[in-house]
């Protein structure tokens, strides 16, 4: 099953009630799968064909507000086009779930700059490794986003082409099990005329402290970590699959002197590289950074205590700043008394192929830094 | 440095008054800063503007929280806002009012001067725009900026005939402003509260927006409902087949006066 | 088509929460009051940025400026999904959100024939930001972005014929109305409430601050607009059936409408005759449409 089919299947399993999307490569086939499902009566949902991504986003935003479970998906330029209403969706604390099929901002091929450009919109962000994880993350996203302690939208991203059009085995959960695990969604607070609270009539708002909305929103995202961990665990119990602690996932880190950190589909290639490094007697492990927002700061502080160097492979670059995850990891370990070196590698931009051998070399470099203890601040473009 | 706060309503030119004061002060060799209210302005809605005047360049960007002088462009504003709020001890309140300062019901260790700027504006400009009319009173009571500089600033802002009409207004207010006297009233009539500014949403009482007030002569009323029907603010209730004005909702737009087919609604200037 | 009502049939119940923050004599504040009286309480009111009019006692939903049509669509589809199709979905937008920035998403919603209300209070410029020109600003009008300069004087382009543009989408109902004619306005909402699909009402809402006349004359200005033929009152069903709702024996000259508004103060005789010719030509088309019962462009 290709990545886009896995996502569409999850949307069906989640019994999404309103979905909307505008076709954009490489997301397009999701819109076709969903249209088919609705046309054939497999999915009892309103699928709204709109005239652009901005409208697709606002359609699900409004539908979520009245109490429908919603789904929207896009790629690259479409993601950029819907930037404006994304702020409103999160500000209104609406649990919309979005799939971003990565397409970089320079060209058709994947990198993470489309979703990374949305860092300031107040959404939670996941980056997934394979098609099974796309399906599982989609289902988990509804559970996390709709949790009354969270009530925030989630975007999960997976690399266009590399996953969207690549077929691999995917296990599909039983509809009945999903129904047991994922209860129906109810809007909160209700805006139906017979349910709305009198104080919410007329759309009045408190203007006394304009900064309060920002603070509460920020804290809500940070505090969502507990719920993410909880949902990952309960998903594992119900369906037999979970991903590390839900935020990060470690691979062969036992006794590692250095670790690499990867996001999205590069993680799979990195696993193969780690195996080779270990085979060659090099003690390098891997951490998959799965949840980027909220950033799992504490996880990296724990890892930072155990290793001499961290090599971050970013498939994004904030031009003039550097890799987004690299910056966050360095920030996280600053509080440690003894800090490991953190190396910045930028790879796979514009869809540039990243091979096992490339990551093998990154691993060796990171290990060398761990042994020498030097702190490198230079960026390496792989 | 002195800080000034100007209270007015959308359409009365409080922001222009702040700019003219700052501009005239600069012409007198001072440094100055004119800060408009942050937000949206609605005609008739209360708003504030601020001015700082100093001998050196003004650097701070916060609002003027403890002004030395407060100017009130609208006679009714002091009824709904604590216009003397934050005014420094011994500070000066310049009020647009018909009343002499001794009769002004504002308490505190402050000084007060009054001028009937609405009357001056109606006579010189033919419209109740009181922003320039009060500037002459300011120059006289505070001692600066000079009238020459204010004139120059006005000519720059309003070239031609409109400028000359405004200059006539500042000279009249310079002459007609009362002497500055110590406030004698003791009981504060308005509760200390935040200075409400315009914007969106529902308000409590807009009585003070009115320059003119509609008064219905029920004896002449034929019960046609026009006044009720066309009031944008539902200020006219229809009770027992007769209109009844809820004055706290009336902004004094005059639509009811205009629409009454038998002309039974008078429109009278609000006198304070 | 709408059925005429008289003044006594206008609902007495007020659904606005007043006093609001609109300017003195605001035409749009009155438009909101009249519209929501007729809509009744069982509705969700949708907002995009616009000049404040009247707050009403309805649950409120808002979104980004450019998204009116999509927002209404989402609410309607969401209500369908949860089985609450009894609730009316009403957008109350300004001319900017209808003619300009919101046009694309409204056009798409019209094409999909979503079961929604789009109600536009047309004050012929971006009044919320202080009177900048819009696609609804009439030719030659002075706004802060079409100033009266020494070389160019006022707006040089005509107003979009928005009602006909939306009618061309084949939507079930579109009508123009005016705050000067509340009976007409409410009759049209009453009719629209019986129609399933995309319903649209364009309301002439004079703005004393932007149009520069005394606020007490708002209704007078609205009436003059209609009586001079500059703002005709009509309705179009299914993009085809046409009715002209106000047909005086003779139109007043356009100067009666233009002269009291300072936004037109600079107009030359030539400008005025162009407006008069435009108006007469359009009026002739409307009369012919009315006779045929079929809209002509």
């Amino acid at each position: 099953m290709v990545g886009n089919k896995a996502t569409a299947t999850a949307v069906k399993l989640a019994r999404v009630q309103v979905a909307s999307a505008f076709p954009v490569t490489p997301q397009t086939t999701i819109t076709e799968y969903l249209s088919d499902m609705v046309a054939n009566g497999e999915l009892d949902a309103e699928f709204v064909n709109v005239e652009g991504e901005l409208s697709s986003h606002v359609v699900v935003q409004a539908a979520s507000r009245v109490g429908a479970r919603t789904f929207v998906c896009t790629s690259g330029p479409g993601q950029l086009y819907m930037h404006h209403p994304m702020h409103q969706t999160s500000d209104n604390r609406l649990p919309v779930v979005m799939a971003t099929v990565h397409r970089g901002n320079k060209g058709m091929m994947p990198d993470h700059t489309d979703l990374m450009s949305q860092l300031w919109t107040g959404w939670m962000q996941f980056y997934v490794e394979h098609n099974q994880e796309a399906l599982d993350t989609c289902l988990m996203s509804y559970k996390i986003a709709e949790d009354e302690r969270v009530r925030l939208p989630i975007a999960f991203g997976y690399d266009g082409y590399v996953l969207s059009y690549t077929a691999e085995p995917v296990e599909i959960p039983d509809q009945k099990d999903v129904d047991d695990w994922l209860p129906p969604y109810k809007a909160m607070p209700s805006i139906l005329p017979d349910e709305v609270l009198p104080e919410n009539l007329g759309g009045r708002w408190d203007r006394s402290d304009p900064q309060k909305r920002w603070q509460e929103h920020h804290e809500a995202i940070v505090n969502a970590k507990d719920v993410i961990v909880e949902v990952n665990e309960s998903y594992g119990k119900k369906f037999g699959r979970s991903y590390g602690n839900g935020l990060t996932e470690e691979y062969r880190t036992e006794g590692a002197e250095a670790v690499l950190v990867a996001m999205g589909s590069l993680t799979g290639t990195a696993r193969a590289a780690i195996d080779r490094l270990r085979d060659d007697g090099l003690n390098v492990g891997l951490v998959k950074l799965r949840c980027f927002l909220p950033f799992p700061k504490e996880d990296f502080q724990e890892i930072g205590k155990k290793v001499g160097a961290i090599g971050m492979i970013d498939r994004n670059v904030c031009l003039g700043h550097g890799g987004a995850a690299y910056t966050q990891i360095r920030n996280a370990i600053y509080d440690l008394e003894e800090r490991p070196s953190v190396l910045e590698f930028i790879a796979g931009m514009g869809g540039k192929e990243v091979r096992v051998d490339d990551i093998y070399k990154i691993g060796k470099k990171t290990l060398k830094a761990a042994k020498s203890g030097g702190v490198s601040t230079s960026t390496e473009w792989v | 440095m002195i800080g000034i706060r100007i209270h007015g309503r959308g359409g009365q030119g409080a922001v222009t008054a702040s700019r003219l004061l700052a501009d005239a002060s600069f012409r007198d060799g001072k440094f100055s800063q004119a800060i408009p209210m942050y937000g949206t302005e609605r005609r008739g809605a209360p708003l504030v503007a601020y001015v700082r005047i100093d001998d050196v360049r003004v650097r701070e960007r916060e609002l003027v929280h403890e002004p030395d002088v407060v100017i009130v462009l609208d006679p009714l504003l002091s009824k709904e806002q604590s216009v003397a709020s934050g005014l420094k001890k011994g500070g000066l309140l310049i009020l647009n009012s018909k009343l002499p300062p001794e009769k002004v019901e504002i308490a505190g260790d402050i000084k007060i001067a009054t001028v009937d700027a609405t009357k001056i504006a109606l006579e010189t400009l033919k419209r109740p725009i009181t922003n320039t009319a009060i500037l002459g009173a300011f120059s006289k009571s505070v001692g600066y900026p000079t009238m020459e500089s204010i004139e120059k600033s006005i000519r720059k802002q309003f070239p031609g005939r409109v400028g000359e009409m405004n200059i006539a207004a500042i000279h009249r207010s310079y002459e007609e402003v009362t002497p500055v006297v110590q406030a004698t009233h003791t009981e504060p009539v308005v509760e200390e509260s935040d200075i409400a500014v315009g914007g969106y949403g529902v308000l409590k009482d807009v009585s003070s927006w009115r320059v003119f007030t509609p008064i219905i002569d029920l004896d002449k009323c034929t019960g046609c409902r026009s006044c009720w029907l066309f009031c944008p603010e539902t200020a006219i209730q229809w009770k027992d087949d007769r209109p009844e004005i809820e004055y706290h909702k009336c902004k004094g737009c005059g639509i009811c006066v205009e629409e009454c087919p038998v002309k039974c609604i008078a429109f009278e200037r609000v006198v304070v | 088509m709408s059925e005429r009502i008289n003044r006594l049939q206008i609902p007495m119940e007020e659904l606005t929460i007043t006093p609001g923050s609109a300017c003195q004599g605001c035409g749009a504040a009155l438009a909101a009051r009249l519209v929501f009286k007729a809509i009744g309480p069982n509705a969700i009111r949708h907002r995009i940025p616009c000049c404040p009019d009247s707050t009403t006692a309805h649950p409120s939903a808002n979104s980004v400026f450019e998204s009116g049509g999509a927002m209404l669509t989402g609410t309607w589809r969401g209500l369908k999904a949860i089985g609450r199709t009894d609730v009316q979905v009403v957008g109350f937008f300004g001319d900017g959100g209808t003619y300009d920035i919101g046009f694309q998403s409204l056009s798409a919603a019209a094409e999909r024939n979503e079961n929604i209300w789009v109600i536009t209070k047309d004050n012929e410029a971006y009044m919320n930001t202080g009177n900048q020109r819009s696609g609804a600003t009439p030719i030659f009008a002075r706004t802060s972005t079409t100033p009266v300069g020494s070389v160019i004087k006022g707006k040089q382009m005509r107003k979009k014929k928005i009602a006909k543009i939306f009618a061309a989408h084949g939507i079930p109902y579109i009508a123009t109305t005016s705050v000067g004619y509340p009976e007409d306005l409410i009759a049209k909402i009453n009719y629209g409430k019986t129609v399933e699909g995309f319903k649209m009402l364009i309301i002439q809402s004079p703005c004393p601050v932007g149009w520069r006349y005394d606020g007490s004359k708002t209704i007078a200005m609205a009436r003059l607009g209609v009586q001079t033929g500059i703002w005709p009152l009509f309705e179009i069903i299914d993009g085809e059936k046409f009715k002209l709702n106000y047909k005086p024996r003779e139109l007043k000259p356009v100067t009666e409408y233009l002269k009291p508004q300072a936004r037109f103060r600079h107009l030359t005789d030539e400008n005025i005759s162009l407006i008069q010719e435009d108006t007469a030509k359009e009026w002739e088309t409307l009369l012919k449409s009315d006779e045929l019962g079929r809209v002509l462009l």
Side-chain angles (χ1 to χ4, degrees):
Chain A
M1 182 181 279
V2 296
N4 284 355
K5 187 71 183 272
T7 299
T9 305
V11 168
K12 186 177 85 173
L13 287 169
R15 296 195 186 277
V16 161
Q17 293 164 290
V18 177
S20 183
F22 186 76
V24 53
T25 305
Q27 156 265 32
T28 305
T29 55
I30 305 182
T31 68
E32 295 170 348
Y33 294 134
L34 290 177
S35 299
D36 279 347
M37 287 172 181
V38 172
N40 295 320
E42 290 170 51
L43 172 61
D44 180 19
E46 298 286 323
F47 182 74
V48 188
N49 283 298
V50 286
E51 83 294 353
E53 285 85 357
L54 198 140
S55 285
S56 70
H57 194 99
V58 175
V59 164
V60 297
Q61 176 191 92
S64 180
R65 198 187 279 126
V66 290
R69 180 170 289 156
T70 57
F71 174 78
V72 63
C73 53
T74 190
S75 288
Q79 180 77 79
L80 301 180
Y81 184 34
M82 66 167 72
H83 176 85
H84 185 194
M86 283 180 73
H87 286 271
Q88 223 104 5
T89 304
S90 64
D91 187 37
N92 284 286
R93 308 290 294 271
L94 300 169
V96 170
V97 172
M98 169 159 68
T100 299
V101 188
H102 293 303
R103 163 174 170 175
N105 295 347
K106 294 186 196 288
M108 291 279 282
M109 291 294 152
D111 56 48
H112 299 164
T113 47
D114 50 2
L115 193 49
M116 284 291 173
S117 298
Q118 316 306 323
L119 282 182
W120 289 46
T121 56
W123 281 56
M124 300 198 275
Q125 290 191 357
F126 288 83
Y127 292 80
V128 307
E129 183 185 347
H130 46 68
N131 297 350
Q132 180 73 58
E133 194 184 359
L135 181 145
D136 294 335
T137 304
C138 185
L139 289 173
M140 285 189 220
S141 293
Y142 285 104
K143 186 99 165 172
I144 298 163
E146 292 170 8
D147 190 292
E148 295 195 1
R149 294 164 289 173
V150 179
R151 288 282 160 157
L152 281 166
I154 294 180
F156 66 94
Y158 55 93
D159 292 323
Y161 307 95
V162 183
L163 296 185
S164 68
Y165 298 152
T166 299
E168 58 190 23
V170 173
E171 195 181 312
I172 300 165
D174 209 47
Q175 180 70 59
K176 201 186 155 295
D177 289 340
V178 177
D179 290 345
D180 286 348
W181 183 75
L182 185 65
Y185 162 63
K186 181 101 179 78
M188 186 181 83
S190 172
I191 63 158
L192 296 174
D194 49 340
E195 292 178 4
V196 69
L197 297 172
E199 63 264 31
N200 291 339
L201 282 177
R204 280 175 277 189
W205 71 90
D206 178 16
R207 275 175 298 186
S208 52
D209 181 359
Q211 193 169 265
K212 212 168 105 194
R213 266 159 87 180
W214 288 95
Q215 189 186 340
E216 286 174 357
H217 192 159
H218 174 70
E219 288 169 356
I221 299 183
V222 172
N223 295 338
K225 282 181 207 169
D226 295 343
V227 178
I228 295 168
V229 169
E230 209 178 288
V231 168
N232 180 62
E233 236 178 71
S234 96
Y235 193 87
K237 270 189 203 138
K238 185 81 185 173
F239 302 102
R241 274 184 309 278
S242 58
Y243 298 88
N245 65 359
L247 302 161
T248 56
E249 184 186 346
E250 295 185 23
Y251 179 69
R252 299 190 76 171
T253 52
E254 57 297 336
E257 295 166 69
V259 291
L260 304 184
V261 184
M263 298 166 75
S265 66
L266 285 186
T267 316
T269 309
R271 283 180 203 268
I274 293 293
D275 287 350
R276 266 182 53 191
L277 286 159
R278 289 286 191 166
D279 287 351
D280 293 348
L282 302 169
N283 283 338
V284 183
L286 175 70
V287 177
K288 171 160 86 176
L289 174 51
R290 182 167 182 268
C291 172
F292 188 67
L293 264 176
F295 190 76
K297 192 174 169 181
E298 299 79 7
D299 293 26
F300 284 98
Q301 287 174 342
E302 287 308 311
I303 292 158
K305 283 180 199 161
K306 289 187 250 172
V307 299
I310 300 174
M312 177 65 219
I313 311 167
D314 265 302
R315 194 170 202 165
N316 73 80
V317 58
C318 174
L319 300 164
H321 272 181
Y326 165 75
T327 319
Q328 287 301 320
I329 292 171
R330 275 179 89 97
N331 176 12
I333 62 154
Y334 188 80
D335 292 337
L336 299 179
E337 274 175 34
E338 274 184 60
R339 294 177 209 123
S341 305
V342 183
L343 284 72
E344 181 179 30
F345 300 94
I346 292 178
M349 295 301 292
K352 186 177 178 190
E353 190 183 22
V354 183
R355 304 190 56 184
V356 176
D357 199 40
D358 295 324
I359 299 185
Y360 183 88
K361 284 177 192 152
I362 291 172
K364 276 181 94 171
K365 268 195 186 136
T366 308
L367 186 63
K368 198 176 152 199
K371 290 187 192 295
S372 67
V375 177
S376 158
T377 53
S378 65
T379 305
E380 188 165 330
W381 294 76
V382 178
Chain B
M1 187 202 304
I2 72 156
I4 302 158
R5 186 174 69 224
I6 305 175
H7 290 258
R9 302 189 171 284
Q12 284 173 338
V15 174
T16 306
S18 72
R19 297 212 174 127
L20 289 170
L21 262 184
D23 190 76
S25 304
F26 185 68
R27 286 171 199 275
D28 282 344
K30 304 262 187 192
F31 285 95
S32 54
Q33 186 186 51
I35 312 169
M37 180 190 78
Y38 300 151
T40 41
E41 187 186 313
R42 302 287 160 229
R43 174 150 306 180
L47 58 83
V48 285
Y50 305 90
V51 182
R52 281 194 182 88
I53 300 170
D54 203 350
D55 295 327
V56 293
R57 185 174 286 278
V58 181
R59 296 164 306 173
E60 47 269 67
R61 296 284 167 203
E62 61 172 2
L63 304 176
V64 179
H65 293 279
E66 293 185 348
D68 300 86
V69 184
V70 168
I71 300 173
V72 185
L73 293 179
D74 188 290
L76 279 161
L77 273 169
S78 58
K79 296 283 173 200
E80 75 175 25
Q81 292 186 324
S82 42
V83 291
S85 164
L87 186 57
K88 279 187 189 152
K89 271 194 177 165
L92 173 64
L93 182 65
I94 303 175
L95 274 181
N96 169 14
S97 173
K98 268 177 132 56
L99 300 173
E102 294 80 6
K103 293 222 171 141
V104 172
E105 293 182 335
I106 294 174
D109 181 10
I110 54 169
K111 300 189 183 79
I112 302 178
T114 61
V115 62
D116 188 354
T118 305
K119 181 166 165 253
I120 296 173
L122 283 173
E123 287 171 12
T124 54
L125 309 170
K126 315 293 175 212
R127 286 193 290 175
I129 301 176
T130 51
N131 61 343
T132 48
I134 209 109
L135 292 181
F138 184 95
S139 175
K140 176 84 163 283
S141 316
V142 178
Y144 60 86
T146 59
M147 290 295 275
E148 294 72 38
S149 293
I150 300 178
E151 279 186 25
K152 280 184 197 154
S153 300
I154 287 178
R155 283 204 178 93
K156 190 181 115 200
Q157 177 79 21
F158 308 107
R161 197 174 63 93
V162 180
E164 298 313 313
M165 284 155 71
N166 280 288
I167 284 166
I170 63 165
H171 282 288
R172 274 198 51 191
S173 84
Y174 188 90
E175 296 305 325
E176 292 177 22
V177 65
T178 67
V180 174
V181 302
Q182 183 69 28
T184 49
H185 194 74
T186 47
E187 291 293 307
V189 276
V190 181
E191 280 175 38
E192 286 293 312
S193 62
D194 283 344
I195 292 159
V197 290
Y200 300 90
V202 180
L203 307 173
K204 285 195 189 97
D205 187 337
V206 292
S207 301
S208 65
W209 289 38
R210 297 193 295 269
V211 178
F212 295 91
T213 295
I215 295 160
I216 303 176
D217 180 353
L218 287 175
D219 291 341
K220 286 196 214 155
C221 173
T222 59
C224 76
R225 299 193 188 184
S226 285
C227 55
W228 165 79
L229 183 58
F230 290 113
C231 177
E233 298 292 343
T234 67
I236 300 180
Q237 299 293 307
W238 201 254
K239 285 181 185 157
D240 304 326
D241 219 28
R242 281 289 176 276
E244 187 181 307
I245 300 183
E246 290 190 331
Y247 282 103
H248 73 283
K249 292 181 175 179
C250 174
K251 293 173 177 169
C253 70
I255 287 180
C256 54
V257 179
E258 191 71 23
E259 290 307 311
C260 177
V262 293
K263 298 288 160 219
C264 77
I265 308 178
F267 211 28
E268 293 176 6
R269 189 186 151 193
V270 178
V271 179
V272 182
Chain C
M1 297 287 172
S2 64
E3 270 179 51
R4 259 172 204 280
I5 61 161
N6 64 41
R7 192 161 291 184
L8 295 174
Q9 290 168 289
I10 292 176
M12 296 305 287
E13 195 194 346
E14 304 292 355
L15 287 170
T16 44
I17 310 175
T18 51
S21 47
C23 300
Q24 292 153 326
C26 174
L30 178 58
R33 177 183 161 222
L34 296 171
V35 161
F36 286 97
K37 249 179 193 299
I39 287 284
N42 193 22
I44 298 173
R45 179 176 174 180
H46 293 74
R47 301 154 186 278
I48 49 177
C50 65
C51 220
D53 38 75
S54 292
T55 301
T56 54
H58 294 86
S60 169
N62 52 326
S63 192
V64 291
F65 206 173
E66 60 274 27
S67 73
M71 172 170 50
L72 296 165
T73 301
T75 302
W76 169 243
R77 300 297 188 100
L79 287 169
K80 246 175 107 178
I82 64 166
R84 285 301 304 271
T85 51
D86 58 302
V87 180
Q88 300 169 90
V89 181
V90 183
F92 195 72
F93 307 150
D95 45 289
T98 309
Y99 287 68
D100 296 346
I101 191 168
F103 184 78
Q104 171 180 320
S105 109
L106 281 175
S107 171
E111 181 253 339
R112 292 190 303 266
N113 194 23
E114 302 287 348
N115 186 24
I116 56 178
W117 265 112
V118 176
I119 299 174
T120 301
K121 40 160 181 156
D122 185 350
N123 53 25
E124 304 194 323
Y126 306 147
M127 294 310 180
N128 193 31
T129 42
N131 192 20
Q132 294 82 29
R133 63 91 87 191
S134 78
T137 304
I139 191 164
F140 303 132
R142 170 194 193 144
T143 68
S144 63
T145 49
T146 53
V148 178
S150 54
V151 181
I152 306 167
K153 296 180 195 303
K155 191 189 178 197
Q156 300 298 299
M157 309 84 186
R158 290 176 168 88
K159 182 184 173 93
K160 284 190 194 177
K161 292 181 186 173
I162 201 78
K164 287 187 174 178
I165 294 171
F166 275 97
H169 287 68
I171 54 173
Y173 189 59
I174 183 160
T176 61
T177 187
S178 161
V179 293
Y181 294 81
E183 290 88 348
D184 179 78
L185 188 157
I186 286 173
K188 284 170 177 171
I189 300 256
N190 288 348
Y191 174 74
K193 283 171 82 174
T194 68
V195 173
E196 191 167 322
F198 195 94
K199 302 161 283 278
M200 198 163 177
L201 197 60
I202 314 285
I203 309 173
Q204 178 210 33
S205 308
C207 168
V209 179
W211 297 12
R212 303 170 82 188
Y213 63 85
D214 185 89
S216 64
K217 304 275 199 286
T218 290
I219 307 304
M221 216 53 65
R223 268 195 216 110
L224 282 169
V226 175
Q227 290 165 353
T228 53
I230 283 185
W231 191 278
L233 308 181
F234 60 80
E235 50 196 330
I236 304 169
I237 290 175
D238 297 330
E240 194 184 358
K241 284 181 229 94
F242 183 92
K243 187 177 175 188
L244 191 58
N245 307 101
Y246 176 87
K247 281 182 289 180
R249 228 168 278 149
E250 206 176 339
L251 290 178
K252 290 183 173 170
V254 294
T255 45
E256 288 193 31
Y257 173 71
L258 302 174
K259 280 275 150 74
Q261 301 177 42
R263 65 172 171 159
F264 294 119
R265 188 185 281 155
H266 58 281
L267 263 57
T268 62
D269 290 347
E270 228 174 45
N271 295 156
I272 293 170
S273 25
L274 184 138
I275 295 173
Q276 186 65 69
E277 277 165 35
D278 275 6
T279 309
K281 213 171 102 194
E282 179 67 10
W283 188 251
E284 205 178 299
T285 311
L286 293 171
L287 282 175
K288 209 179 282 170
S289 302
D290 188 57
E291 206 179 295
L292 292 168
R294 183 160 59 78
V295 67
L296 301 171
L297 280 180

